[in-house]
Amino acid sequence: MRLPYCLVAVLFAAVGALPSAAAALCSPPPTRAEQSATNGANVSPEDLLGLWDFGDGGSSPLNASHIALSPNKKQLAVQMRRADAATNRYCMALVIIDRSGQSAPIIADQGGDFIKAQFSNRRLAGFPIGLPMPLTPRWSPDGHHIAYVRRDQGQTRLWIANADGSGAEAATSGDLPISDLRWSADGRHVLLAADTNRLEAERRIEEEGLSGFHYDYRIWQAARALPFPPGPYPPIYYQVDRETKQLMSLPADAASKAFGSRGEGIPANARLGTFSDDGNAAAWVEREQPDQLRSPSRLHAVVDGVPIACQSEACAGELLGIWWTDRREILFLRTEGPADRSHLALYKWHPRRGRPTLLLRTEDLILGCQAGKGELFCGYERSLEPRRVVAISARDGAVSTVYEPNPDFARHRFGAVQRLYWKFQGGEAFGDLVLPPDYRNDRKLPLIVVQYTSRGFLRGGTGDEYPILPLAAAGFAVLSFQRPTDYANRIPAANIAEFSQNNVTGWADRRHVLNALEAGVSQLIDRGLVDPARIGISGLSDGASTVQFALVNSSMFRAAAVSSCCEDPSNYDSAGEEYYRDLVSWGYPPRGTDGRKFWQRYSLLQNADKIAAPILMQLSDDEFRLALPAYHALEAAGKTVDMYVFPDEHHIKWQPAHRLAIYRRSIAWFRGWLTPQGDPASPSAGERP
């Protein structure tokens, strides 16, 4: 469907909002995001929830943007999504973007449901997680069609859309667990990899239930009683005729050619392997010390059969991506200091012309780049700017916007944002300080710590549950805290067990992170900016572990909110045998031994009587059982603890209504216990907010 030009002129005046046809999938009347942006209001929870987004969730530069570049490199295809709390669904649209900007974006398809990603957890397959399925649309060789995956009413299918917006249709029937797709060279077939073997294993497990499940390592009882299939499972390969829609098996040799992970000339232990367009040059990174788990990596290339290792310091470290230009130059993205990884830097290197050249160094987030003609197309975020599509010049590193899905968001009212760096016992750390929009350096502020990554758009921390900008609008200073690199990074380790033992011994890594966090907060107290009696802390996953350790070992925090909880000896029996096996290999005391001394400095269960801060727990239904022993111990000790459990949720929560409820309750919780100046919302003594 191509939109009328008059409508396009309005909607895309500032490079392009997503067309109203897609926005109409959300519930009317116009969303608060649109209303408040027009009025220049503070950012609300509804504003954050209503943003258009694309690519992987989260703010890691390792995430994919799932931008699909057309064969002629003049168009891009992006699958957009927007959460809608009223319907508890997502608005979905496949958008075709013209690189030149001379033509308006096209909605090639709209509709469908959010597809949750699944991952392998230890030896178990099919674990759901509330992140979008990581699958990029694919252009046909002639650039006229786009193949992609869409889910409707529980059925996942291959779809094919016309790139001119003239129509889209399902190309398979029934539910097919597609995990990857490609076009055949002649464009007549779409080749599929599917997780069919895992589904068959799940069906066999259901049959096993008729005579009772044997309790073994397959059961992850924190999530469910039904065993998970022991993986991995090789995919089954298919081909679909574009015209007839006939689904057939794909011969093994054709599947290997289409889906093979590594070409000739790239070592088996390499990462990020990539080939030039003509196939005569390859590049990759590999560990400088292969026997060390956290060894720095170095950039290597082979050009016309000649191996070349880049000897510059810039070519070694944490390298995140490699791309060939059409001039046989290599672009590579890496992290740089200060504070270990606070900046991203893009370099250009010609393997036969000496040292690499710095093109761009930034505190912003760059992710999921694709190489075009003399440029990279990437997802890009800044502290106050949600994700957009940009082009980065391979000549000089200049950044230009190609597609802005949320042009009105900039009309909101924001407080000051400052990137902070500080030293602590053990290294250097960084984070972002966000102040209330009306703050004039006229009072000490309550502070909320949001964890544990601080890159790009300041949305809600890891897991996106603690809305940074709405918290600032509610009168809080917010420290978006970037977790420092692991304590164990400084100690040689050949494998993950050795690495984890170095972290766990004496709770070295937990102390390392808490030292960094306390030093950053103390800096704000010393500046006279933050009231030391009104400091809150929040977190999910590793961030929740930091909260737990802080509540036992620090008196700095007066209120807490967690999205997962809790680590203590009860995990041995409440999680699963796979997790228990890992814990013991990492240095945790095994069953049948006295582990009280080990747990004394960490466990909420063993320290319930010492906990002073009220704790809010907002947990998924496949993780809340891990928190029950600590919850009941705190309750029995007369402590303030409140728990909410969200159905059909996972480690990362995905449902729009749940996310909005969590946003709102988190703000209310901290307002109740750490009331900002002038805020009448203060609970009476002993009353829960």
Side-chain angles (χ1 to χ4, degrees), residues 30 79 162 265 268 321 337 488 549:
Q79 286 186 293
N162 298 327
F549 192 78

Side-chain angles (χ1 to χ4, degrees), residues 258-269:
F259 295 97
S261 60
R262 193 180 306 275
E264 293 183 9
I266 295 180
N269 62 344

